[in-house]
Amino acid sequence: PVLQIQYLPFGSNCGRPLTMIAPLWWRGTALLAVLSSHHASAFAIGPSGGRQATQADQPSLDGDDALDDSPPSLSEARLEVVQITDVYTLQNFPNLKTMLAEKRAQARPGTKVVSVLTGDFLAPYLLSSVDKGQGMMKAIAKTPIDYLTWGNHEADIEHRTVCRHVRNYPGTWINSNMEDHEAMDAQVPFEIIDVQSEDGTNSRRIGLVAVLSDDPDLYSHFKAPGAFGGATVSDPWDCLERYKKLLEGPEYQCDLVIPLQHTYIPDDEKTCRLFDFPVLLHHRVDEIVDGTRILKPGLDGIYATVLNLSWEDSSTPKQAPKIRANFVKVDNWEADKELEAECDRAYDALMPLRNTELARVPPTFEPLSSQNARGAVTTMGRLICTLLRSSLNTKRRQRDNRVDAVLLMGGNIRGGEASKKGSFFSLEMLEAEIKSDEVVGIVEMPGSVLAEGIAATHAGDPIPGWMQFDDGIHEVYSDDGGAPEVTAVGWEPIDCDRIYRVATKVSDLTNGQSPPLTEYFTKHPEALPAKGKYVNIHAELMGYFARNLWRKLWEQIGPLRPEDSDRSDVDALCGINCVPEERLEKLDFDHDGEVSTDDIHRALKGVLKLSVDDEEKTLAEFIHSFADTNGNGHVTLEDFETFCNEMDELYEQDKWRLSFPRAFTPLTDSEKGEQMADDGIKVEAA
């Protein structure tokens, strides 16, 4: 049943009557789809390009006891595939290692066990924003995962870093439809797995082909040369057709080919209709489409798909193996202690940041509080939205986003804490307020919908959807206590007919908390961004904070001292008064002509007076990577000259922050010498 409501907003200068069709939710009901069990004649493996399952979880079609643990017969050839996908945490790798070790140890002659991670593991999540995927790649190698394939989010990491990960990976990286990738020398376009029965009478060959979505919307936000360093992502189905013909042909004589797909569900279904593969792996779903079985274990390695393909004897037709599969909870196995300790150490990269000032709190946001975020616009909600807007609007070497506003529903601001005046914004505070896997997308909407969407959540009792917004949005409440009126967006009077670009949690647009937004985006699903274009809030802000720390250093090493000039004067920070040679000299502690990670680490402590660990230099490395404008691993005068040309624009984008400067005093020459001596660096006489 549906409930039709006539929604009549009031108090908004963009008011207009809206008709909303909303589901009438009945407690305890569920829609169940029962699929009959029948022989599946095709098989493919593929994860979603997005982060969240687009359907409800489904149990295995084969039931909870699907897998046959009995040893194969003497004449049986069996392949067991353990698959995970879309992994944004190291938490479950120690358990997965134990599981795989047990299965490999118990595998009898005639059975081969392989593992595969089908894309999206280098980004987007907080740890990778700091260590660039180093911890993830170590966990993958030590589990070990036999096969990796590309996901679209692997493009979110700096290209040269990704290439290094590819070349250092000890397993096999399969890449079938991006073959001009710079690191293709360390990848293969396909893989062939041979399995043979114990008695040697039954030999089978299984081909693996890995394709990535070529949807241009996934990569449109990358600046030249584009995603993956400009590599060409070719049509997945042309690629599948070509390699299926090759691998099943006389040259390789494969019994069947398994496509490992990183595509959306409609694309998976297209594969099912076009080809006679027998299976397909994605999020936690198990269904059959045109005879092809789609298996999806879910994200983060919480569950793994365990798939058995078996040919009873040599007379079993090539493409008619017995297919059994199940989803298994990985933490049913005890964690491997050694890998667990290593994964814990990987997260130590975040420890120095937990109590480190990432952003100072301007007076307009004080006292900082997230209390009652479901019933009021809080200062914490406004600050996070404002920081996120500033970060998204910062032009970068890899991408160029632009947003007019940021909206987050109050249920996403979850700390419920109040800070004293003068507090700073830390990583610990960020983690307390926003879940580490929370993502936003950029959508376009008319000003009328934007105004009504906000006002609808601010009328009545507290709700999880109470909209928080950035400091460029203003609203006015009427004296009669009715819904407020949104009067400005981006500090300018709202234009009801203008199309605004808004960053927000996409699922919140249709969850019913804001009827005007739900109605608009239900009618216009084409306005919703592809899931692969979502931005992880933690990762986005961490990158922004690192850039801000570099700019703080930039302020302090300029030719003008705080007591001599207004630090918000852009001309004093860049442009004609920039003097790159002088700035380089002030950070080049060992006078070798470049600024190293060690130099930045010392400057964080000595120039910015931050509390930093003497041994942990991850933050300095992250800042060094940002300062390295040409990507050659060195920060030299050339990079400083680039920043002299860029800083005026960057500071223009951060006017709100520069309105509240903090007085730092640069190190004097004697202080620099003392700092260098403390760090064990030889100080030469002038």
Side-chain angles (χ1 to χ4, degrees), residues 331-529:
D331 66 6
N332 288 340
W333 281 262
E334 185 177 351
D336 177 86
K337 298 304 181 184
E338 183 178 346
L339 182 54
E340 186 175 46
E342 177 144 347
C343 290
D344 287 344
R345 284 195 296 272
Y347 282 102
D348 287 346
L350 302 179
M351 292 304 295
L353 305 180
R354 291 193 181 278
N355 294 309
T356 295
E357 177 184 347
L358 298 179
R360 60 185 180 268
V361 181
T364 54
F365 295 94
E366 288 188 314
L368 200 56
S369 171
S370 58
Q371 293 178 341
N372 193 29
R374 300 184 179 206
V377 179
T378 65
T379 51
M380 177 66 77
R382 286 179 58 233
L383 177 61
I384 290 176
C385 289
T386 301
L387 288 168
L388 192 53
R389 185 202 63 219
S390 295
S391 180
L392 291 169
N393 282 336
T394 299
K395 291 185 178 180
R396 313 198 192 162
R397 300 170 201 123
Q398 265 191 296
R399 72 169 206 207
D400 187 4
N401 282 324
R402 178 189 62 79
V403 298
D404 300 300
V406 173
L407 306 178
L408 290 174
M409 287 189 171
N412 299 312
I413 307 297
R414 59 198 181 99
E417 298 291 339
S419 302
K420 295 180 179 179
K421 207 168 183 179
S423 300
F424 58 78
F425 191 82
S426 68
L427 174 60
E428 187 172 38
M429 194 176 290
L430 174 62
E431 290 181 329
E433 298 295 343
I434 300 288
K435 291 192 297 184
S436 62
D437 62 351
E438 208 71 88
V439 294
V440 295
I442 299 173
V443 298
E444 295 186 345
M445 66 180 79
S448 57
V449 174
L450 175 58
E452 292 159 5
I454 293 173
T457 70
H458 290 177
D461 295 332
I463 56 172
W466 196 285
M467 203 68 78
Q468 310 288 308
F469 47 66
D470 64 80
D471 70 341
I473 294 178
H474 295 274
E475 63 179 355
V476 177
Y477 279 84
S478 60
D479 294 335
D480 60 7
E485 175 184 350
V486 175
T487 58
V489 176
W491 302 283
E492 297 180 355
I494 189 169
D495 182 344
C496 296
D497 298 321
R498 174 182 164 184
I499 300 298
Y500 289 91
R501 287 173 57 84
V502 180
T504 190
K505 187 176 175 182
V506 176
S507 60
D508 286 348
L509 296 172
T510 55
N511 66 4
Q513 291 284 301
S514 173
L517 294 179
T518 296
E519 182 202 5
Y520 181 81
F521 286 101
T522 300
K523 288 183 177 179
H524 300 283
E526 72 283 355
L528 298 175

Side-chain angles (χ1 to χ4, degrees), residues 312-329:
E312 188 174 352
D313 54 41
S314 60
S315 66
T316 305
K318 287 185 173 185
Q319 293 209 355
K322 182 180 180 181
I323 299 174
R324 305 288 287 176
N326 201 0
F327 304 120
V328 297
K329 205 163 189 301

Side-chain angles (χ1 to χ4, degrees), residues 43-61:
F43 181 80
I45 298 179
S48 166
R51 292 182 49 80
Q52 300 295 336
T54 55
Q55 316 180 20
D57 288 352
Q58 298 179 17
S60 168
L61 292 177

